[in-house]
Amino acid sequence: MNHTPNKKGKLSAQKAVLILIVITTVLRLVIAAVTGLGFGESYYSMGVAHPQISYFDQPPLAFWLGWASVETIGNYTAFALRLPTVLLFAGTTWMMYTLGKRLFGDWQGFWAAVILNLSAVFTYSVGIWIQPDAPLMFFWLASAICFYDIFSINFNSIEERNKFRSSWDCYLRWIVIGVMIGLTTLSKYHAAFLFAGAGLFALTRKEERHWVFHPGPYLALAINFIIAAPVFIWNYNHNWASFVFQSNRAANTGIHIDWFFRSIGGQMLWVLPWIWLPLVWQLYKCIKAGRKDKARWFCLMTAILPIVFFTLVTLWANLGFHFHWQAPGYLMLFPPLGAAFYSLLSKGGAYRKWGFRWVWLSVIVTVFSCVILQIHAATGFWSSYGPKWFGHLFGEKNDPTMEGYDYAQLINLFEKEGWMDREHYFAITNSWWLAGKVDWALKGKLPVIPFDSDPRNVAYFFDQNDLLGKDAIFVATDNEQSVRSRAERCFDEVIRLDNHKVIRAGVAEMELGIYYCKNYKKTYDLPYGLNVE
């Protein structure tokens, strides 16, 4: 790949990034069509199937886009659910190129886009799976570009600056920023870190500090709240449940150094170590460059908050395996990394040779890993010293790739036993994620209720009073004692049936407990201060 500025007969950076987008988008569309839904995706698919003004644990934009895609395509498939994600990441790649170009230069932006597509959390999770991170990353970068554009206007005099500050062009730019930030907020609550980061950038640089005292940022903030109004309306009508839930996740449970290092290790693995380390190095380089380097200071101010906050909070709060929460911060470090890589290539000789080797090795490892894992997820061929073995090292009962395997055979059991009659039956699970997997397996044809202290969105999809008098099928990963302790007080009788084996390529990879529950006589007590929608 030629990395020099465009000359006659040479490939331009813009054309190169378009080629990158076409190739990676086609690959993602194939993966989106042939792979099963993970725990989170199955759970989010229930939100798509039950459109609401907003949702319990996430803003609504990703769900709305999924619903629009399903309605447009006309079938409820993994491809239809994921299509908006894939298309949005094509746009995210272009936005990364655009931001990198504005900050550092044309080919610098291209390499930022390339390296972004080599990072696992971005190229796979953000780029394929249906989840709020897809619109978040797209509108985050769109907002960052708009912020930097207005911060980059140079004035020759105070009079020229004042004239612009009072112009329609100025206010129009802030209106656009408000719209972009509003769509970011409508994607995920992380948007607050971007607006705060842009504010820090303006506060800490004398040349941009005048914007703090201009109506524009506050107009943008007001527009943000107007666009994100569905989030606040839903929460107002549901006792601010979403904000209470999210804030409680950061509750202090005492100092846990192990959680902190688990978070750092998880981030490194998710981004990929050979990309994470250079990104962290660029974070240091941005700090070292200081406020005088406008481009790097902007990247630092818009990157540092989500990375530091979601990492430090793990010292006292168990955020589990949510290593992607820092991803918007890392996103802003790809432009300086692209610039650094371009500088390396420009040195020529051994630097250029080893630079390209690093890129091609990253391509091979990323693509090969994704392909191998997908083949294994579908066939289970890599049973010895593969994901199953790796999962057992960390106490997992089942192969972790089973998370992305659909329990498609479950609907056959329900149809065989005559349980697919919505008028007489519904399904129960012991967790929110299993509710998603069961609902996806049953194609949304039965109500699915998690009998659990943490039912998430599913608590708001069905009115339990409408289910009274019906029989239920309890599908569980818990032991029998746990199932009975949850179900027996709500039903006349709970009967254990044969376990359902989840078969992959002829091998029983896991078993689900199946219980027949007679006559739903008393609603299950749900948290969040509600029993019905």
Side-chain angles (χ1 to χ4, degrees):
M1 183 71 70
N2 191 296
H3 67 278
T4 57
N6 187 34
K7 298 177 183 178
K8 188 175 181 180
K10 302 291 186 179
L11 183 66
S12 70
Q14 186 178 66
K15 289 182 180 178
V17 81
L18 288 173
I19 293 171
L20 171 70
I21 289 171
V22 170
I23 293 172
T24 55
T25 299
V26 169
L27 290 174
R28 289 191 183 96
L29 288 173
V30 172
I31 295 173
V34 302
T35 57
L37 299 187
F39 290 166
E41 289 187 286
S42 301
Y43 164 67
Y44 288 138
S45 74
M46 295 187 74
V48 172
H50 299 86
Q52 298 187 339
I53 189 173
S54 192
Y55 295 83
F56 168 72
D57 56 354
Q58 302 289 359
L61 187 54
F63 301 97
W64 292 353
L65 292 172
W67 175 85
S69 178
V70 168
E71 290 296 309
T72 301
I73 293 176
N75 55 47
Y76 189 50
T77 61
F79 178 82
L81 287 170
R82 290 165 166 170
L83 180 60
T85 296
V86 175
L87 296 180
L88 278 168
F89 197 75
T92 298
T93 300
W94 179 259
M95 291 293 180
M96 178 57 71
Y97 160 70
T98 302
L99 181 61
K101 178 181 177 180
R102 303 278 176 88
L103 291 168
F104 301 105
D106 209 19
W107 281 98
Q108 291 88 333
F110 167 76
W111 286 114
V114 168
I115 300 170
L116 175 73
N117 277 266
L118 296 177
S119 172
V121 67
F122 292 101
T123 199
Y124 200 77
S125 174
V126 176
I128 299 176
W129 297 347
I130 175 174
Q131 58 176 335
D133 298 77
L136 169 69
M137 300 303 176
F138 177 83
F139 289 111
W140 180 291
L141 286 179
S143 301
I145 292 168
C146 293
F147 270 122
Y148 193 75
D149 279 353
I150 202 166
F151 289 150
S152 295
I153 299 174
N154 295 315
F155 303 105
N156 296 318
S157 65
I158 297 295
E159 292 75 17
E160 184 180 340
R161 189 187 75 179
N162 290 340
K163 182 178 179 181
F164 176 77
R165 281 162 55 92
S166 60
S167 68
W168 167 243
D169 182 29
C170 174
Y171 282 95
L172 180 60
R173 287 169 182 258
W174 282 110
I175 288 170
V176 172
I177 289 174
V179 172
M180 292 298 104
I181 285 288
L183 292 170
T184 310
T185 305
L186 210 58
S187 302
K188 205 167 183 179
Y189 297 128
H190 282 64
F193 293 107
L194 178 58
F195 202 94
L200 279 175
F201 174 81
L203 276 170
T204 53
R205 274 182 53 90
K206 183 180 179 180
E207 297 84 350
E208 282 74 50
R209 199 169 297 152
H210 65 95
W211 289 118
V212 177
F213 308 101
H214 187 268
Y218 307 99
L219 173 63
L221 192 60
I223 293 170
N224 161 68
F225 281 114
I226 292 171
I227 292 176
V231 174
F232 300 100
I233 293 171
W234 187 93
N235 272 278
Y236 176 79
N237 291 325
H238 294 89
N239 302 314
W240 305 102
S242 184
F243 299 131
V244 172
F245 171 72
Q246 296 294 358
S247 61
N248 284 342
R249 297 174 101 168
N252 193 336
T253 59
I255 299 299
H256 294 268
I257 299 297
D258 56 325
W259 294 349
F260 176 74
F261 285 107
R262 180 182 67 184
S263 175
I264 293 175
Q267 294 169 52
M268 180 168 58
L269 288 174
W270 221 175
V271 174
L272 295 180
W274 52 92
I275 295 175
W276 182 82
L277 288 170
L279 286 174
V280 172
W281 177 248
Q282 287 306 310
L283 183 68
Y284 164 74
K285 295 286 284 185
C286 289
I287 294 172
K288 186 177 179 181
R291 292 173 292 176
K292 292 181 180 180
D293 190 327
K294 186 175 185 176
R296 285 179 171 78
W297 191 252
F298 180 77
C299 291
L300 175 65
M301 291 295 99
T302 51
I304 195 72
L305 294 180
I307 294 175
V308 170
F309 177 81
F310 288 115
T311 302
L312 283 181
V313 77
T314 59
L315 282 170
W316 61 83
N318 186 5
L319 300 186
F321 296 92
H322 293 94
F323 307 130
H324 62 292
W325 285 358
Q326 292 88 347
Y330 288 116
L331 187 72
M332 296 305 297
L333 297 175
F334 282 94
L337 181 56
F341 187 72
Y342 173 80
S343 178
L344 181 74
L345 295 180
S346 299
K347 292 180 179 180
Y351 292 102
R352 177 184 172 90
K353 181 176 71 174
W354 285 104
F356 276 114
R357 285 182 177 179
W358 178 82
V359 168
W360 285 115
L361 184 61
S362 296
V363 170
I364 292 169
V365 171
T366 301
V367 173
F368 182 76
S369 299
C370 289
V371 170
I372 291 296
L373 285 174
Q374 287 308 315
I375 294 174
H376 173 74
T379 66
F381 81 96
W382 194 13
S383 58
S384 298
Y385 299 102
K388 185 185 298 186
W389 171 82
F390 186 79
H392 289 171
L393 285 179
F394 294 91
E396 295 284 339
K397 272 178 59 179
N398 302 309
D399 184 333
T401 63
M402 287 300 293
E403 178 178 336
Y405 189 78
D406 296 334
Y407 303 165
Q409 307 103 329
L410 193 62
I411 194 171
N412 298 330
L413 171 65
F414 274 65
E415 289 175 341
K416 176 185 175 182
E417 299 293 339
W419 297 335
M420 292 301 292
D421 182 358
R422 193 181 181 98
E423 295 299 315
H424 298 93
Y425 299 99
F426 65 101
I428 304 170
T429 66
N430 58 275
S431 66
W432 59 267
W433 67 263
L434 186 57
K437 296 295 280 187
V438 171
D439 180 79
W440 182 246
L442 301 181
K443 305 185 185 304
K445 293 181 179 180
L446 287 182
V448 182
I449 305 289
F451 275 19
D452 186 44
S453 61
D454 182 20
R456 308 283 175 98
N457 277 329
V458 192
Y460 300 89
F461 294 156
F462 305 101
D463 185 338
Q464 288 195 69
N465 290 314
D466 293 339
L467 305 176
L468 292 174
K470 297 181 180 181
D471 291 353
I473 312 305
F474 201 134
V475 182
T477 54
D478 275 3
N479 58 49
E480 182 173 354
Q481 181 180 354
S482 175
V483 170
R484 291 189 177 279
S485 68
R486 302 180 195 210
E488 285 184 338
R489 62 181 181 270
C490 299
F491 292 89
D492 285 341
E493 188 177 4
V494 177
I495 304 169
R496 178 163 190 170
L497 305 178
D498 292 337
N499 286 354
H500 173 73
K501 295 181 179 180
V502 180
I503 307 295
R504 180 173 66 178
V507 177
E509 293 281 1
M510 59 183 297
E511 294 189 5
L512 300 171
I514 305 294
Y515 302 81
Y516 189 93
C517 306
K518 292 185 177 180
N519 185 29
Y520 192 39
K521 62 184 180 182
K522 180 182 180 296
T523 59
Y524 185 83
D525 291 333
L526 295 175
Y528 321 137
L530 65 129
N531 282 321
V532 299
E533 185 178 353

